[in-house]
Short mmCIF file of all heavy atoms in Angstrom, two decimals:
data_model
loop_
_atom_site.label_atom_id
_atom_site.label_comp_id
_atom_site.label_asym_id
_atom_site.label_seq_id
_atom_site.Cartn_x
_atom_site.Cartn_y
_atom_site.Cartn_z
N ASP E 33 12.66 24.11 -9.88
CA ASP E 33 11.49 24.65 -9.19
C ASP E 33 11.95 25.73 -8.22
O ASP E 33 12.25 25.47 -7.06
CB ASP E 33 10.76 23.52 -8.45
CG ASP E 33 9.42 23.98 -7.87
OD1 ASP E 33 9.12 25.19 -8.00
OD2 ASP E 33 8.70 23.14 -7.33
N GLY E 35 10.32 28.00 -6.82
CA GLY E 35 9.37 28.38 -5.79
C GLY E 35 9.29 27.41 -4.64
O GLY E 35 8.47 27.59 -3.74
N ILE E 36 10.13 26.37 -4.66
CA ILE E 36 10.03 25.32 -3.64
C ILE E 36 10.29 25.85 -2.23
O ILE E 36 9.78 25.32 -1.25
CB ILE E 36 10.97 24.15 -3.99
CG1 ILE E 36 10.57 22.92 -3.17
CG2 ILE E 36 12.43 24.53 -3.74
CD1 ILE E 36 11.24 21.66 -3.64
N ARG E 39 7.06 28.72 -1.49
CA ARG E 39 5.71 28.22 -1.24
C ARG E 39 5.58 27.66 0.18
O ARG E 39 6.56 27.24 0.78
CB ARG E 39 5.35 27.12 -2.25
CG ARG E 39 5.08 27.61 -3.64
CD ARG E 39 4.43 26.51 -4.46
NE ARG E 39 5.27 25.32 -4.53
CZ ARG E 39 6.17 25.10 -5.49
NH1 ARG E 39 6.34 25.98 -6.46
NH2 ARG E 39 6.88 23.99 -5.49
N GLY E 40 4.35 27.62 0.66
CA GLY E 40 4.07 26.95 1.93
C GLY E 40 4.42 27.76 3.16
O GLY E 40 4.58 27.19 4.25
N LEU E 43 1.75 27.20 5.83
CA LEU E 43 1.87 25.88 6.45
C LEU E 43 3.05 25.85 7.42
O LEU E 43 2.95 25.28 8.51
CB LEU E 43 2.07 24.82 5.36
CG LEU E 43 0.87 24.50 4.48
CD1 LEU E 43 1.26 23.52 3.39
CD2 LEU E 43 -0.26 23.92 5.32
N PRO E 83 0.72 14.80 10.71
CA PRO E 83 0.62 14.12 9.40
C PRO E 83 -0.16 14.93 8.38
O PRO E 83 0.16 14.91 7.19
CB PRO E 83 -0.10 12.80 9.74
CG PRO E 83 0.13 12.59 11.18
CD PRO E 83 0.18 13.95 11.79
N LEU E 84 -1.19 15.65 8.84
CA LEU E 84 -1.98 16.47 7.93
C LEU E 84 -1.11 17.57 7.32
O LEU E 84 -1.14 17.82 6.10
CB LEU E 84 -3.17 17.08 8.66
CG LEU E 84 -4.04 18.05 7.85
CD1 LEU E 84 -4.64 17.34 6.64
CD2 LEU E 84 -5.14 18.64 8.73
N LEU E 85 -0.31 18.22 8.16
CA LEU E 85 0.58 19.26 7.65
C LEU E 85 1.62 18.67 6.70
O LEU E 85 2.00 19.31 5.71
CB LEU E 85 1.28 19.96 8.82
CG LEU E 85 0.42 20.89 9.68
CD1 LEU E 85 1.22 21.43 10.84
CD2 LEU E 85 -0.13 22.03 8.84
N LEU E 86 2.09 17.47 7.02
CA LEU E 86 3.06 16.82 6.14
C LEU E 86 2.49 16.57 4.76
O LEU E 86 3.14 16.83 3.74
CB LEU E 86 3.52 15.50 6.78
CG LEU E 86 4.50 14.65 5.96
CD1 LEU E 86 5.78 15.42 5.71
CD2 LEU E 86 4.78 13.33 6.68
N ILE E 87 1.27 16.07 4.71
CA ILE E 87 0.61 15.81 3.42
C ILE E 87 0.43 17.10 2.63
O ILE E 87 0.70 17.17 1.43
CB ILE E 87 -0.74 15.11 3.65
CG1 ILE E 87 -0.52 13.70 4.21
CG2 ILE E 87 -1.54 15.04 2.35
CD1 ILE E 87 -1.80 13.02 4.66
N LEU E 88 -0.03 18.14 3.32
CA LEU E 88 -0.24 19.42 2.65
C LEU E 88 1.08 19.99 2.14
O LEU E 88 1.13 20.58 1.04
CB LEU E 88 -0.90 20.41 3.61
CG LEU E 88 -2.35 20.09 4.01
CD1 LEU E 88 -2.85 21.08 5.05
CD2 LEU E 88 -3.26 20.10 2.78
N ALA E 89 2.16 19.80 2.91
CA ALA E 89 3.46 20.29 2.47
C ALA E 89 3.93 19.55 1.22
O ALA E 89 4.52 20.16 0.31
CB ALA E 89 4.48 20.14 3.59
N LEU E 90 3.66 18.25 1.15
CA LEU E 90 4.03 17.47 -0.04
C LEU E 90 3.19 17.89 -1.24
O LEU E 90 3.71 18.00 -2.36
CB LEU E 90 3.86 15.98 0.25
CG LEU E 90 4.84 15.36 1.24
CD1 LEU E 90 4.43 13.93 1.59
CD2 LEU E 90 6.27 15.38 0.68
N VAL E 91 1.90 18.10 -1.00
CA VAL E 91 1.03 18.53 -2.10
C VAL E 91 1.49 19.89 -2.63
O VAL E 91 1.51 20.13 -3.85
CB VAL E 91 -0.43 18.61 -1.62
CG1 VAL E 91 -1.31 19.28 -2.68
CG2 VAL E 91 -0.95 17.21 -1.32
N ARG E 92 1.89 20.77 -1.73
CA ARG E 92 2.35 22.10 -2.12
C ARG E 92 3.77 22.09 -2.66
O ARG E 92 4.24 23.08 -3.21
CB ARG E 92 2.27 23.05 -0.92
CG ARG E 92 0.87 23.43 -0.51
CD ARG E 92 0.29 24.46 -1.44
NE ARG E 92 0.96 25.76 -1.30
CZ ARG E 92 1.12 26.64 -2.26
NH1 ARG E 92 0.68 26.36 -3.46
NH2 ARG E 92 1.74 27.79 -2.04
N ARG E 93 4.44 20.96 -2.49
CA ARG E 93 5.85 20.83 -2.90
C ARG E 93 6.67 21.97 -2.30
O ARG E 93 7.41 22.67 -2.99
CB ARG E 93 5.96 20.83 -4.43
CG ARG E 93 5.25 19.65 -5.09
CD ARG E 93 5.33 19.74 -6.59
NE ARG E 93 6.70 19.59 -7.05
CZ ARG E 93 7.10 19.78 -8.32
NH1 ARG E 93 6.21 20.15 -9.23
NH2 ARG E 93 8.35 19.63 -8.66
N SER E 94 6.53 22.08 -0.99
CA SER E 94 7.20 23.16 -0.26
C SER E 94 8.27 22.60 0.66
O SER E 94 7.97 21.91 1.63
CB SER E 94 6.18 23.96 0.56
OG SER E 94 6.84 24.84 1.46
N ALA E 95 9.52 22.90 0.35
CA ALA E 95 10.63 22.47 1.20
C ALA E 95 10.57 23.19 2.55
O ALA E 95 10.89 22.62 3.59
CB ALA E 95 11.95 22.72 0.51
N ALA E 97 7.90 24.23 4.23
CA ALA E 97 6.89 23.62 5.08
C ALA E 97 7.33 22.25 5.57
O ALA E 97 7.10 21.89 6.73
CB ALA E 97 5.57 23.51 4.33
N LEU E 98 7.99 21.47 4.70
CA LEU E 98 8.45 20.14 5.10
C LEU E 98 9.43 20.22 6.26
O LEU E 98 9.35 19.45 7.22
CB LEU E 98 9.09 19.43 3.91
CG LEU E 98 8.13 18.84 2.88
CD1 LEU E 98 8.90 18.36 1.66
CD2 LEU E 98 7.32 17.70 3.47
N VAL E 101 7.60 21.26 9.51
CA VAL E 101 6.79 20.20 10.12
C VAL E 101 7.62 19.30 11.02
O VAL E 101 7.09 18.67 11.94
CB VAL E 101 6.07 19.38 9.01
CG1 VAL E 101 5.43 18.13 9.58
CG2 VAL E 101 5.01 20.23 8.34
#
Side-chain angles (χ1 to χ4, degrees):
D33 188 356
I36 196 168
R39 287 193 302 269
L43 289 175
L84 176 60
L85 288 176
L86 177 61
I87 292 172
L88 292 175
L90 290 172
V91 171
R92 289 283 291 149
R93 298 177 66 189
S94 169
L98 283 172
V101 170

